[in-house]
Amino acid sequence: MNILIVDDHPFIIEAYKNAIKAYNAKGIYEFVITQAKDCKTGYEAIMEQGIGSYGVAFFDLSMPVYEEKGIFSGEDLAHLVKNEMPECKIILLTMHTELLKINQIIKNINPNGLVIKNDLTFDELLLAFDKILKDENYYSQTVVQIVSQMPFDNLEIDAFDKQILFHLSKGTKTKDIPQYVPLSLNAIEKRKQSLKEILEIADGTDIDLIRESKNKGLI
């Protein structure tokens, strides 16, 4: 089985590899591990020809972006894998514990595994890997607690919204965002207002929007 690990923290990659090695201590499985350190190398590992499909892919959500290809996070890489390799099982790792962000991940990606970094232990990784290989889903304890509180069934924050927030956070003026996002200026303004209403800052400024988006883990 081909396994992909994408994380910008080398010690996390080693933790994954050690857990996989321990899981396969008896040599029952044949695992081939590919690792990448950011959105760019992750994209290249997914799109590279001749390596076959991955059976399992691990992604950190927050990593250096690959703006040229519109890949801004591990979430975008997960979308890419789902399109290119529908049978691949996806495990996401994140520091975010905000209800809105967790809801967005589950709604948009529906990963086979979702682990909060503060929950991460060697045993946690072993358990997650075991369950996922057995075609079960695995959410770490904090995720389970968050999911039980979720009231955000009707929220829709898509890839265009995330790109708009990303460019605003980098200081791009709204009037210039159509250069980077394939939407009209009017559509971008409407999306900004919708985001402000979702974040309960309907009369807020762009600075307020970016602050609350960061607080909620959207960027």
Side-chain angles (χ1 to χ4, degrees):
M1 176 187 293
N2 293 320
I3 297 175
L4 175 64
I5 303 172
V6 188
D7 199 298
D8 59 338
H9 297 93
F11 67 93
I12 295 290
I13 290 180
E14 287 306 309
Y16 281 136
K17 291 166 68 175
N18 288 337
I20 293 168
K21 182 179 179 180
Y23 184 84
N24 195 34
K26 295 182 180 179
I28 297 173
Y29 303 95
E30 184 176 344
F31 294 131
V32 177
I33 298 174
T34 299
Q35 63 187 63
K37 63 182 180 179
D38 51 30
C39 289
K40 183 176 187 295
T41 54
Y43 176 89
E44 291 168 348
I46 295 165
M47 300 306 292
E48 182 179 344
Q49 298 300 312
I51 60 173
S53 296
Y54 293 108
V56 179
F58 296 82
F59 297 110
D60 187 3
L61 281 194
S62 301
M63 293 182 291
V65 306
Y66 188 20
E67 193 170 349
E68 292 86 342
K69 296 293 184 179
I71 307 293
F72 298 98
S73 67
E75 192 174 345
D76 291 333
L77 288 174
H79 271 298
L80 182 64
V81 165
K82 286 176 77 73
N83 289 334
E84 297 291 327
M85 308 169 188
E87 300 303 315
C88 180
K89 300 180 188 300
I90 293 170
I91 305 174
L92 299 179
L93 183 68
T94 181
M95 281 293 294
H96 292 294
T97 57
E98 301 84 1
L99 222 122
L100 179 57
K101 181 63 176 180
I102 297 301
N103 178 67
Q104 178 189 348
I105 293 168
I106 293 173
K107 197 168 187 177
N108 293 343
I109 304 295
N110 190 25
N112 303 88
L114 180 56
V115 179
I116 303 298
K117 284 188 178 180
N118 287 342
D119 293 337
L120 190 64
T121 65
F122 187 76
D123 289 340
E124 186 91 11
L125 277 177
L126 280 176
L127 181 58
F129 194 60
D130 179 62
K131 281 186 173 290
I132 284 158
L133 287 188
K134 292 176 179 176
D135 293 322
E136 300 176 33
N137 287 347
Y138 182 78
Y139 290 173
S140 68
Q141 183 178 355
T142 302
V143 177
V144 172
Q145 292 171 350
I146 293 169
V147 168
S148 69
Q149 305 169 32
M150 272 183 189
F152 292 109
D153 293 338
N154 297 319
L155 284 186
E156 291 293 341
I157 296 177
D158 63 16
F160 288 144
D161 293 327
K162 289 191 293 180
Q163 289 179 45
I164 290 167
L165 290 171
F166 171 79
H167 288 292
L168 287 174
S169 72
K170 296 301 180 183
T172 305
K173 296 182 184 300
T174 300
K175 66 181 179 65
D176 295 326
I177 291 179
Q179 298 177 33
Y180 308 102
V181 181
L183 295 172
S184 68
L185 180 57
N186 185 51
I188 289 169
E189 292 283 9
K190 287 181 178 179
R191 282 175 174 265
K192 277 176 49 181
Q193 187 57 40
S194 176
L195 286 167
K196 289 177 182 179
E197 291 170 2
I198 287 171
L199 296 172
E200 299 180 345
I201 51 166
D203 297 323
T205 64
D206 286 357
I207 293 174
D208 296 327
L209 176 59
I210 295 307
R211 183 190 65 248
E212 287 304 309
S213 296
K214 288 181 177 178
N215 288 340
K216 296 294 191 297
L218 298 180
I219 53 176

